[in-house]
Amino acid sequence: MSRVGKGTVGIQQIELPDGDETVALAIEISHLKKSYALKPVLRNINLALPRGQRMVLLGANGAGKTTLLRILAGLGKAGSGTFLIEGLDSRYELQEIRRRIGFVAHQPYLYEELTVLENLLFFGQLYGVKQARERAMALLQQVGMERRTKDRIRSLSRGQVQRVAWVRALLHSPSLLLLDEPDTGLDQDGNRLVEVLLAEHTTRGGSILFTTHNLERALTWSDHIVILAGGRVVYQHEAASLTHEELVQRYQEVVT
């Protein structure tokens, strides 16, 4: 099994036990690069996320966080480099990878003219979800949207749309969640809901890679902290061994 090697000075990489080939990885990224119009956006990204754990990507706007998530979700292509999702090679098994991923982003990926339930039944059919209606209703109740099933998406508030987007992402019981600022548009109750959903997912053995601009939530919601700047990994550390003050200091040092 390949491992993320020691690279940039000052980065504590995720290290797998020597000689232990039983450690399963949810995500393994090797030398990933991406450019737009000859402008580098991702520069030689190497990351590994063990299964059942949570990693947060931090960084200023334009650091490459969203681009990286979109590539992992199969919504964009890397310029070079490779990545594996649960051992599946994206170059040959992208369709199977997509079935294992739940993606929540700024764009909700919902049809505005369809109702909440119509959207979810459509995606349930797309992913071959058995008893999709029952599954959708159970999730809608969990996120507090069970009374809005007949409402069209365009009639909902931003926070309500975000809750439905969460249901869409969880509908097919994915093992890996890719979340681009999952707390966007949510109030305090919504943020508590996100925390519960993240905890439930990892309790069931699922893995999570997410972004946020809230450093306090980054510490609370993750096992591993990664900071991107200029398309590079400039800092990486275990969340449990960091205080909020230390993270703020490190963030300011490497981003500003």
Side-chain angles (χ1 to χ4, degrees):
M1 179 184 297
S2 60
R3 289 167 166 77
V4 178
K6 295 182 183 294
T8 307
V9 175
I11 295 180
Q12 177 189 334
Q13 299 282 11
I14 296 174
E15 295 185 26
L16 305 181
D18 290 337
D20 186 355
E21 297 300 325
T22 65
V23 176
L25 296 178
I27 302 174
E28 187 173 8
I29 304 171
S30 301
H31 307 294
L32 199 70
K33 298 179 181 179
K34 175 70 175 180
S35 297
Y36 290 115
L38 301 181
K39 180 181 179 181
V41 179
L42 297 175
R43 306 167 184 255
N44 201 39
I45 300 294
N46 294 282
L47 285 174
L49 173 63
R51 291 195 193 186
Q53 296 189 20
R54 298 178 280 186
M55 176 182 286
V56 62
L57 299 176
L58 300 175
N61 292 335
K65 306 183 301 296
T66 294
T67 298
L68 179 57
L69 286 184
R70 285 181 57 82
I71 290 173
L72 296 177
L75 299 174
K77 291 185 178 180
S80 62
T82 61
F83 69 90
L84 306 180
I85 301 295
E86 298 184 345
L88 299 172
D89 194 320
S90 62
R91 293 170 296 181
Y92 314 113
E93 301 169 285
L94 192 55
Q95 285 303 109
E96 177 57 31
I97 285 174
R98 285 173 175 152
R99 282 192 282 269
R100 300 190 183 200
I101 288 174
F103 187 42
V104 176
H106 296 283
Q107 181 179 346
Y109 296 102
L110 297 166
Y111 294 98
E112 290 190 346
E113 295 305 315
L114 296 182
T115 68
V116 169
L117 187 57
E118 286 170 345
N119 265 280
L120 297 176
L121 292 179
F122 169 78
F123 285 104
Q125 184 177 21
L126 189 66
Y127 282 100
V129 178
K130 295 180 179 179
Q131 297 182 321
R133 180 180 293 269
E134 290 77 4
R135 170 74 175 159
M137 291 303 298
L139 288 169
L140 286 170
Q141 183 173 16
Q142 186 175 12
V143 303
M145 291 294 291
E146 71 275 15
R147 296 183 180 179
R148 309 305 295 268
T149 58
K150 297 181 180 179
D151 292 357
R152 298 185 189 277
I153 294 298
R154 59 178 168 80
S155 70
L156 303 178
S157 70
R158 180 67 182 88
Q160 291 170 332
V161 171
Q162 188 76 344
R163 289 173 184 248
V164 179
W166 265 96
V167 174
R168 172 193 52 73
L170 295 170
L171 191 63
H172 58 296
S173 302
S175 51
L176 173 63
L177 292 179
L178 300 176
L179 312 172
D180 195 4
E181 296 185 42
D183 45 350
T184 296
L186 296 177
D187 56 16
Q188 261 190 332
D189 287 340
N191 286 322
R192 283 193 291 268
L193 172 63
V194 169
E195 189 168 1
V196 169
L197 293 173
L198 297 181
E200 287 183 353
H201 185 72
T202 50
T203 297
R204 291 193 296 267
S207 314
I208 302 168
L209 179 65
F210 71 99
T211 73
T212 182
H213 286 291
N214 188 305
L215 299 187
E216 186 173 354
R217 287 180 200 146
L219 276 176
T220 303
W221 292 356
S222 69
D223 300 300
H224 307 283
I225 303 284
V226 174
I227 302 178
L228 298 182
R232 302 180 189 275
V233 175
V234 295
Y235 181 81
Q236 188 173 176
H237 211 284
E238 292 183 2
S241 59
L242 279 176
T243 65
H244 181 257
E245 292 73 18
E246 288 171 336
L247 178 57
V248 170
Q249 181 180 349
R250 297 294 179 269
Y251 185 88
Q252 291 174 344
E253 288 174 352
V254 298
V255 172
T256 58

